[in-house]
Amino acid sequence: MDEKAAESLSKLFPRLKAYSKERKSSNWNDLRKRIEVNFDTLFHYLYLLYGDHYDFFYYLEEVLKTAIDSNSKRSNDLKQLDLQRRDDPYWYKSHNHVGVAGYADLMAGSIKGLEAKIPYLKELKTTYFHLLPFFDCPDGENDGGYAVSDYRTVREDLGRMADLRSLSGKLRGNGISLCADFVFNHTSDEHRWAVKAKEGDPRYQKFYHMFDDRTIPDQYDQTLREIFPDVRRGNFTWVEEAGKWVWTTFHNYQWDLNYKNPDLFNHILGEMLFMANAGVEIFRLDAIAFTGKEIGTTSENRPQAHQLVRALNALTNIAAPAVVFKSEAIVHPDFVNSYISEDECELSYNPLLMALMWEALATREVKLLRHSMEKRFSIHEGTAWVNYVRCHDDIGWTFSDEDAADVGINGYDHRMFLNRFYTGEFDGSFAIGEPFQFNPDTGDMRVCGMSASLTGMEKGLENDNEQEIDLSIKRMSLMYAVTMFIGGIPLIYMGDEIALLNDESYKNDPVKKEDSRWVHRVPLDENSVANRKEAGTVENRMFKNLQRMIEIRTGDPVFRAPSTNFHSTGNPHLFSFTKVLEDRTMLFIGNFSEHIMSLESDFIRNIFGSGHTLKELWSGDTLQIHHEITVEPYQFFVIVKKDG
Ligand code: GLC
Ligand code: GLC
C-alpha cells in the first residue's frame, strides 16, 4: 500500500471500528478486510478528485462511514450473495447468461406484476434483467424516467420500494440478477436537492453547476456537444427561482450534478448503496461520459469521470461487493473501451457492434463491421461486453471515422446514407424507422424503431408479402445470433423476442410526441405474447429462434472463451469469427445479404484442419464440405468439431 494511504488507514481504523459498532454491524472483520484490500485504490482516486479540498480527510472518513452504514443495513440474503460472489468473482463472464431489458408498466403494468412474468423470462433462460427506469420522476415530461426525483422512491403508478425488494428477491431466487439504471449525471429539477437549490440554499446549489450569469456557461458552450438539439440549443438553462443558469446536458429539467463537490459524492454514494441494498446487482451507469466537466474541453470522457467511477467501485467492493457496474457510454469507440476494467466498469454496452450490424444489414457488406471488431472487440480479460441489437434509446452511428476511412468509407456521407436508409427515405430500403434529434448545424441525426420494423417486417405485413416477413425474421435472427455467440452477455430488448412492431401512438400524446424514442417503447400485448406458442405465427418463429440460440449458447462453454478472432472469408457479405476454449473451436459465419453466397471450403478447413467431421449447431446437421459451401440469405452457421 502507498505510504500515505497506509498512514491514514491506520489512523482511521479505530474510528471506523467504533462507528461500525455504533451501527450494530455484525461483520466488522469482513468489512475490515474489504477496506484494507480496497483502500489504496479508494484513496488514490478520491485524492485525485478531492485532494485539493482542505477537508479531504474528513470526506475520506465520511464516505467510508457511508459504506459501513449501508453495509450494516444489508439483508442477510444479500450478504450471502456477497460471499458467493467472492468465490466466483467472474460470474458475469459465464456463457449461461442471457439478458432481457424491459419496462415494468409496458411488460406487466407494475413492478408487482412483473413477478408473474418471471416464468416468461425463464422461457428465455434469463439470468440478467434490466428493469428500465422506475424511480420517482416528474409527472409529464421526464425523459422516460431518466429524470430521477428520488432514488429511494418508486414511481407511484409502478408500486413501492417494498415491491422492488420483493421482485429482486424473487428474481434472485430464480437465478436472475437485477440490473437498474443509476442515473448519476443528473437529477430532475424536482429532486429535493434541486428544490433546495432553487430556494437558494448554498449547500445544495453546490450539488449542481450553477452560474450567476452567462460568462462561464458561454465559455463552456464553445466546446460542448448538443445532445438534444431539438430541445434546446446550448447546454444551460435559466432557473428563474434561483436567478441562476444551471448545467443541463439533456433536457432543461435534468440538472447535471457537480462531482467537484465531495459532499455530493458522499450523498450519491449513499443513494447508490441504498439501491444495492434493495437488491440491484448490476448498476447501469447512465450517461457516464458526461460526469466530468472541464472548461475548454468537450466535457465528455474526462479523467474525472473515470476517477469518480473507480472510487465508487472501490466503495461498493466494501459495502456491497456483489455489485458490478455496466458502462453506458454511447460515444466514440476509443472512449467506450476506456471505461471498461475490473476497477471501473466490469461490463459495458457494445454500441459499436450494435450500430455496425445495422450498418452491415443496410450495405450488405461486412467490411466496416469486421475491421472495427478486429480492432476494438478485445477488452480486459476480467470484463465483458453486453451485446445488443436494440435498446430503449435511438441508434447512433458511433463508428470511428478513421476505421471507416481504413476500409474506404467516408464517415460523414455514410451516416447520412444510414439515416436515410433506416428512416425509409432511401429507395428500396426495407426499413420503417423514425428520425431522432436532427441537428441542423451538423446534419447529425439518429434513428428510432423496433427491430422488426427496421428489418422489414412492417413493410412485409403491410404488403402481405410473406417473403419480406421471412427475410425480416432472418435479419433479426442473424443479428441476435451474433450477440449470442460473439462473447459477452447478449441482451434482448423487450418485444424483440416476439417481433413487435413500432408503435406510433406516442404521436397523440402531448408529453411524448416530441421524443420519437417512444416509437420503440411498446407494450407487450397479451395476444402477441400468447402467439409465441402458436406454430407459424411471426411471434412464434422469432421466439423459437431465440430459444434455440440460447440453448446452443448455454450448452457450450466455448462461448465463454475469453477471446474472439475475426476472419476475412474472402466474401464481402459474410461475417465470421471464431472462439477457442482449450481444444474446442467454434466458427461462426453469417450472411448479411439477401443473396445466396458461396464460400471456399478451404476457409473452413484452414480453421479446423482436415479430416474432421464438423457439426453445424444451428441446424443440428453434420456439415458436408464439398468444394464450395452455399450460404443462404441471412443464414448463419455455428460450426464445431463433431468429436469435441
Ligand atoms: C441515457 C438513457 C437515455 C437518457 C439519457 C439521459 O443515455 O439511456 O434514455 O435520455 O441517458 O439520462
Ligand atoms: C447521447 C448520449 C447517450 C444517450 C443518448 C440518448 O447519445 O451520448 O448517453 O443515451 O444520447 O439519446
Side-chain angles (χ1 to χ4, degrees), residues 225 227-228 250 284 287 290 328 330-331 393-394 436 446 517:
R225 194 155 67 103
I227 303 303
F228 289 156
F250 296 89
R284 172 189 178 276
F290 299 90
E328 191 250 350
I330 314 300
V331 289
D393 277 333
D394 44 289
F436 181 66
R446 283 113 74 188
R517 289 176 297 173

Side-chain angles (χ1 to χ4, degrees), residues 361 430 455 468 471-479 634:
L361 273 192
F430 46 73
T455 52
E468 263 307 309
L471 287 177
S472 165
I473 293 181
K474 291 194 163 122
R475 289 182 184 115
M476 282 191 276
S477 300
L478 170 62
M479 288 192 285
Y634 303 112

Side-chain angles (χ1 to χ4, degrees), residues 90-223:
Y90 300 114
W91 58 279
Y92 48 83
K93 299 215 45 156
S94 158
H95 59 291
N96 287 324
H97 287 301
V98 177
V100 171
Y103 289 93
D105 48 354
L106 298 179
M107 282 178 82
S110 67
I111 293 186
K112 192 126 217 72
L114 274 175
E115 290 185 8
K117 285 283 174 199
I118 293 178
Y120 183 71
L121 293 175
K122 299 274 286 185
E123 284 178 45
L124 296 165
K125 293 198 179 216
T126 308
T127 61
Y128 163 127
F129 179 61
H130 175 191
L131 178 57
L132 285 152
F134 52 85
F135 282 116
D136 186 31
C137 57
D139 293 337
E141 278 192 51
N142 53 41
D143 194 23
Y146 283 95
V148 176
S149 300
D150 187 348
Y151 298 97
R152 300 183 188 222
T153 310
V154 167
R155 210 174 84 200
E156 214 175 357
D157 60 307
L158 298 179
R160 311 147 141 265
M161 248 352 255
D163 300 338
L164 183 73
R165 287 196 193 93
S166 162
L167 175 70
S168 75
K170 295 236 163 68
L171 288 172
R172 213 160 42 249
N174 279 283
I176 304 174
S177 298
L178 177 65
C179 167
D181 288 276
F182 190 52
V183 187
F184 73 129
N185 174 66
H186 44 265
T187 70
S188 88
D189 63 348
E190 292 182 9
H191 192 285
R192 64 182 183 285
W193 304 335
V195 172
K196 290 241 165 84
K198 278 187 211 169
E199 288 165 358
D201 186 326
R203 176 174 185 193
Y204 292 96
Q205 290 194 341
K206 286 193 205 101
F207 276 32
Y208 301 94
H209 301 269
M210 300 192 95
F211 308 93
D212 292 333
D213 57 39
R214 290 285 321 178
T215 320
I216 298 175
D218 282 343
Q219 286 175 35
Y220 273 116
D221 259 343
Q222 278 179 21
T223 48

